Amino acid sequence: AMKEPLNHTQLEVKFNFLAHRIQTDPSLHQELLDTARKLNDMLYVGKAFLAIARRSQASMEVSRTTRILNMAIDTAHRNEDTKTEAEALHLLSKIQVNAPEVQLKTLYDALRCYEKLSEFDKVAQLHCEIAEVLRPWAPDDADIHAQWGSLLSAGQYVEK
């Protein structure tokens, strides 16, 4: 007897399970992408790319991780999934440590996403990370970002 295809809710459960499991079992990446496509919503495809990239980063495959993260960023951006875009950009910045100019641009892009989401803890964290990258060649700019970082993390940010 043919099995009934999974309904949307069952597919979502399967997707979330696979996205979690892929961190310990990278062989699931194709099944995760197929499940995302069956959900017929590009948001899931972006999230799938991000989950696969996290796994790939853990195994230090820099060029593969970069490629997958760029797919996640692009898919999330086109589908206005700012949270996935922000997370993917932030992850990408961590593997660009040998290219500070590129890393800085990625951090600024992630910062803009987190500002849009009003996630001020992340905004504070990114200001501090930007300060670290700027410190060697732009100490004054670094200080400004560090001040923003401590201001925001102290919860002194009040919406006007």
Side-chain angles (χ1 to χ4, degrees), residues 21-64:
R21 275 295 308 280
I22 199 170
Q23 300 314 315
T24 50
D25 183 358
S27 69
L28 297 170
H29 81 265
Q30 194 54 54
E31 195 178 349
L32 179 65
L33 274 172
D34 292 344
T35 307
R37 292 198 179 98
K38 280 185 195 142
L39 278 158
N40 206 13
D41 181 343
M42 287 305 288
L43 294 185
Y44 288 100
V45 176
K47 287 175 176 24
F49 285 140
L50 178 58
I52 293 164
R54 281 205 175 105
R55 171 62 215 167
S56 173
Q57 188 211 19
S59 51
M60 307 306 280
E61 300 170 72
V62 175
S63 61
R64 179 169 184 265

Side-chain angles (χ1 to χ4, degrees), residues 56-89:
S56 173
Q57 188 211 19
S59 51
M60 307 306 280
E61 300 170 72
V62 175
S63 61
R64 179 169 184 265
T65 306
T66 302
R67 202 172 63 245
I68 299 165
L69 281 172
N70 282 319
M71 287 161 33
I73 292 161
D74 187 49
T75 306
H77 186 78
R78 277 183 291 138
N79 294 280
E80 294 174 16
D81 179 5
T82 309
K83 188 159 179 57
T84 299
E85 184 182 1
E87 287 176 23
L89 283 161

